Amino acid sequence: MAAPPLGRLVLTHVLVALFGMGSWAAINGIWVELPVVVKDLPEGWSLPSYLSVLVALGNLGLLVVTLWRRLAPGKGERAPIQVVQALSVVGTALLAPLWPHVAAVAGQEYSVAFLALSFILALACCASNVTFLPFLSRLPPSFLRSFFLGQGLSALLPCVLALVQGVGRLECPPTPTNGTPGPPIDFPERFPASTFFGVLSALLVVSAAAFQGLLVLLPSPPPVPTGGPGPGLQAGAPGVEEEEEASPLRESPSKAAGTTRSPEPAAHRLLSTRGVCLLGLLAVTNALTNGVLPAVQSYSCLPYGRPAYHLAVVLGSAANPLACFLAMGVLCRWCRGFCVSACSHT
């Protein structure tokens, strides 16, 4: 079996990383932008609580994906991924002009556009958890490192962009005559929230383009019944590899057949006392990290002002991917996995 060229492997790793970047970039971007928009939206400092509830309701996207697999078995993950990416791109693009719009509901003003688009983006991000990884099953395990690297960038890049943007502040400079504090002067952010959401939408467009590149680069999945070549693998075309040459990007059938599946012992271990305790700890940790703490963070930072809230949100969001990179040694392991993958196909 011929090995794919080194350039093809490098390109595949880059595309997989960019593809993973679009998983949670939308919601992560909204979280780090809350300190900027909280002063202009009627919900005020309770806006993070609303967003926490909407992100929790976004898990309904998992049910939609489950229904898709039940009603359309064997269709693969291409269509759900494209729907998820389309919702993410369109949602963030609409946030740029619509986020400050408010509407009256039951006699009170609410940021209906911001909350509705946040809910749509939460649906897309939650659905990406169960659609992106199954698509990567067509690749060897070494490419998962590139995917998780991209997922880390989905949190890190919005944080870097938010740090560059800064947060507005009010200052009362002393008067030149007697040195007493003068009238307050508003110092805005370096660029508005609309620009932030526009750049975030551009990042998601890059991620969607990377997925289309993977569809062209990778061979067709095995369940496809057609006898013709898959996309990007046209027989006889100059400079295009045949299916046998591209198949090393998938796990070999011999390895797949050689792995023994034992679901029953795994199920017994999962339902054991140790497994139940671990699942309980995982549930409590996720509830605190993704629900309770983000909802009350604005109130805990309120006495210190918006700059402190901005730094707490941005640095807190950036700490997670940075800690994962340091703990797992992602760069070294990615390089080592890439070298092993390249050597195994030569």
Side-chain angles (χ1 to χ4, degrees), residues 173-183:
T175 58
T177 56
N178 52 10
T180 58

Side-chain angles (χ1 to χ4, degrees), residues 29 35-36 53 90 105 125 150 164 183 189 192 196 237 249 285-286 289 320 335:
V36 176
V53 175
V90 174
V105 178
C125 292
V164 174
E189 298 82 14
F196 179 90
L249 295 178
T285 303
N286 278 278
T289 305
N320 190 9
C335 293

Side-chain angles (χ1 to χ4, degrees), residues 190-216:
R190 293 183 179 89
F191 51 87
S194 299
T195 304
F196 179 90
F197 290 126
V199 175
L200 189 63
S201 178
L203 291 177
L204 293 172
V205 169
V206 172
S207 178
F211 175 66
Q212 297 301 319
L214 286 175
L215 292 179
V216 175

Side-chain angles (χ1 to χ4, degrees), residues 125-304:
C125 292
C126 291
S128 69
N129 288 339
V130 292
T131 54
F132 284 19
L133 277 177
F135 172 79
L136 292 179
S137 62
R138 300 163 57 181
L139 295 172
S142 60
F143 286 90
L144 287 178
R145 297 186 180 94
S146 301
F147 176 76
F148 290 130
L149 174 62
Q151 278 197 327
L153 293 178
S154 70
L156 188 59
L157 291 182
C159 292
V160 173
L161 185 61
L163 285 176
V164 174
Q165 180 188 24
V167 65
R169 66 188 188 278
L170 287 174
E171 291 186 2
C172 298
T175 58
T177 56
N178 52 10
T180 58
I185 299 178
D186 185 15
F187 292 91
E189 298 82 14
R190 293 183 179 89
F191 51 87
S194 299
T195 304
F196 179 90
F197 290 126
V199 175
L200 189 63
S201 178
L203 291 177
L204 293 172
V205 169
V206 172
S207 178
F211 175 66
Q212 297 301 319
L214 286 175
L215 292 179
V216 175
L217 190 64
L218 299 182
S220 300
V224 176
T226 58
L233 297 170
Q234 299 177 0
V240 179
E241 298 180 354
E242 297 181 357
E243 186 174 1
E244 291 182 356
E245 295 181 350
S247 60
L249 295 178
R250 294 198 310 264
E251 188 175 4
S252 61
S254 59
K255 292 182 180 180
T259 56
T260 58
R261 298 180 180 179
S262 55
E264 295 182 357
H268 287 304
R269 289 195 300 269
L270 191 63
L271 297 178
S272 63
T273 304
R274 177 184 175 86
V276 171
C277 291
L278 291 177
L279 289 176
L281 290 175
L282 184 62
V284 173
T285 303
N286 278 278
L288 291 174
T289 305
N290 301 319
V292 178
L293 296 181
V296 301
Q297 189 177 32
S298 59
Y299 300 106
S300 62
C301 297
L302 179 59
Y304 305 100

Side-chain angles (χ1 to χ4, degrees), residues 78-129:
R78 177 175 179 174
I81 290 176
Q82 289 176 337
V83 171
V84 166
Q85 291 181 331
L87 289 177
S88 299
V89 172
V90 174
T92 51
L94 290 177
L95 271 177
L98 297 180
W99 73 266
H101 290 257
V102 298
V105 178
Q108 293 184 350
E109 288 189 344
Y110 291 95
S111 53
V112 178
F114 181 83
L115 295 177
L117 291 174
S118 298
F119 175 66
I120 293 175
L121 293 175
L123 287 174
C125 292
C126 291
S128 69
N129 288 339

Side-chain angles (χ1 to χ4, degrees), residues 31 33-52 111 167-168 292-313:
W31 272 116
E33 193 66 6
L34 283 182
V36 176
V37 303
V38 72
K39 62 181 175 59
D40 298 320
L41 297 181
E43 290 81 7
W45 292 88
S46 62
L47 187 61
S49 301
Y50 286 88
L51 188 58
S52 297
S111 53
V167 65
V292 178
L293 296 181
V296 301
Q297 189 177 32
S298 59
Y299 300 106
S300 62
C301 297
L302 179 59
Y304 305 100
R306 288 176 53 235
Y309 178 42
H310 176 256
L311 290 176
V313 171

